């Protein structure tokens, strides 16, 4: 069995969705997974995503998983499936504006800062609550909040990683209950090649895996 099929089997058992992270990888490498049935791919740079979208089959569901600048939102809204990395109120207002222009309801996740490193993007609790208050006041008719995303500290300490993922799950439950979010607020995007098993044990519904499928990036 291929590495891909093995992973798919493992995830299916747990009802976890696989986002194949194809950043820096060639269209040919993407097509080889596509031909095995993979339809959800994740990219972290808008420019690279646009090129791949142009050239690859149109039934691919593209996920933007990296930091997104407001001035680039307009390029991806027409086709992007899910934006995992919403990390500011300003960005949300721009997504609302661009989605409204083309009459689209855009699915997004809010990226929450859970790591012990200061190099990673994400919202803190205060910012998350501020966003939810704007949402409750009816500011985002063209945005569908599907859940939260987070990245754990890059460490070998499994307990530390588990604690951070538990923390994200607690944020998820708190936000969902406090703001009466609908059924479709159901996703917790957490887990990469190195920590996806820990993420699944702690409630992940979506893992973003690159290196394990495509080999290490150079
Ligand atoms: C690159 C990346 C991943 C995948 O990491 P791997 O170690 O290759 O599995 C997941 N999430 C984000 C946000 C990334 O930028």
């Amino acid at each position: 069995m291929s590495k891909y099929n093995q992973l798919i089997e493992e995830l299916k058992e747990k009802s976890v969705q696989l986002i194949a992270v194809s950043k820096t990888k060639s269209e040919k490498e993407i097509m080889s997974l596509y031909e095995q049935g993979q339809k959800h791919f994740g990219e972290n740079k808008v420019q690279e995503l646009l090129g791949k979208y142009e050239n690859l089959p149109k039934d691919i569901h593209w996920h933007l998983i990296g930091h997104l600048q407001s001035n680039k939102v307009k390029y991806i809204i027409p086709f992007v499936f899910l934006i995992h990395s919403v990390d500011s109120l300003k960005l949300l207002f721009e997504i609302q504006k661009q989605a409204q222009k083309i009459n689209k309801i855009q699915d997004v996740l809010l990226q929450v800062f859970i790591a012990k490193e200061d190099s990673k993007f994400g919202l803190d609790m205060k910012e998350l609550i501020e966003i939810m208050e704007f949402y409750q006041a009816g500011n985002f008719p063209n945005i569908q909040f599907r859940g939260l995303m987070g990245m754990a500290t890059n460490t070998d300490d499994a307990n530390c990683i588990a604690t951070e993922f538990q923390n994200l799950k607690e944020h998820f439950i708190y936000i969902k209950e406090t703001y009466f979010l609908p059924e479709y607020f159901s996703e917790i995007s957490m887990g990469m090649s190195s920590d996806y098993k820990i993420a699944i044990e702690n409630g992940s519904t979506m893992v973003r895996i690159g290196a394990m499928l495509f080999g290490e990036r150079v």
Side-chain angles (χ1 to χ4, degrees), residues 21 23 44 65-66 149 151 192-194 208-212 217:
V21 176
K23 63 189 186 197
N44 69 336
I65 62 170
M149 182 271 233
M151 289 170 88
M192 330 196 328
S193 296
S194 58
R208 309 176 311 270
I209 294 185
M212 191 187 156
R217 289 172 297 274

Side-chain angles (χ1 to χ4, degrees), residues 4 7-8 11 16-23 29-30 33-43 49 56-65 79-84 107 146 187 205-210 213-214:
Y4 172 71
L7 181 60
I8 281 291
L11 298 179
V16 172
Q17 195 191 347
L18 172 64
I19 314 304
V21 176
S22 49
K23 63 189 186 197
E29 288 169 292
I30 294 174
L33 270 199
Y34 174 86
E35 277 152 13
Q36 294 178 68
Q38 182 64 22
K39 291 285 142 67
H40 290 262
F41 289 89
E43 289 284 334
L49 172 58
L56 291 168
K58 291 297 175 279
D59 64 341
I60 290 182
H61 294 309
W62 291 105
H63 295 245
L64 197 277
I65 62 170
F79 69 91
V80 76
F81 184 75
L82 177 63
I83 303 172
H84 290 232
D107 279 358
R146 297 297 315 277
E187 305 292 349
T205 67
M206 237 178 213
V207 291
R208 309 176 311 270
I209 294 185
L213 290 170
F214 292 105

